[in-house]
Amino acid sequence: MEPLDRHIVTLMARDARMSFTDLGKAVGLSTSAVHQRVKRLEKAGIISGYRATIDHAAVGLPLTALISVVPFDASAPDDIPDRLADIPQIASCWSVAGDENYVLLIRVGRPQDLEELLATIRAKGQCSTHTTVVLSTPWEGRAALLPEVDSEA
């Protein structure tokens, strides 16, 4: 990726609502040139979407938990994500290395909702679970720093 595109992506990761005019000023390009570059980055899949950051407590989902899952039968097809895909409380599903196969990020309203969700996950996923409840979130969703590119290469 070109250093200029990397700079644009970094700025957009911090503020996806930044206007093309402001992006252009920040990187030294015209509004139309930045617009073309962003469209090219979207087409290449480097920018894959835009999301709103939600205050989950304000919308009635104050309880966040990480649920590690392991299939009951290790020789069964690895289709846990497919079996759990329609559960709306699951915000993210990550395949992980280690003792567990997947880690799920979930958001619910009450401890009772978490208990019911765990039963649903175990039944649909045919898996055991290990749950970690999040007590507070000092920060999340922060854009990772992109590695610098050697401009002489």
Side-chain angles (χ1 to χ4, degrees), residues 18-87:
M18 192 174 198
S19 71
F20 292 133
T21 301
D22 289 341
L23 275 170
K25 287 177 185 174
V27 300
L29 291 176
S30 70
T31 301
S32 62
V34 167
H35 183 258
Q36 289 174 352
R37 282 183 178 261
V38 168
K39 291 299 175 197
R40 189 178 74 235
L41 291 165
E42 290 171 347
K43 187 173 182 181
I46 294 168
I47 297 173
S48 61
Y50 302 88
R51 293 176 180 81
T53 301
I54 306 298
D55 179 343
H56 293 94
V59 297
L61 300 173
L63 198 157
T64 300
L66 300 171
I67 302 172
S68 301
V69 298
V70 177
F72 290 138
D73 181 0
S75 65
D78 186 8
D79 62 353
I80 288 176
D82 295 332
R83 286 186 266 146
L84 303 180
D86 67 335
I87 301 174

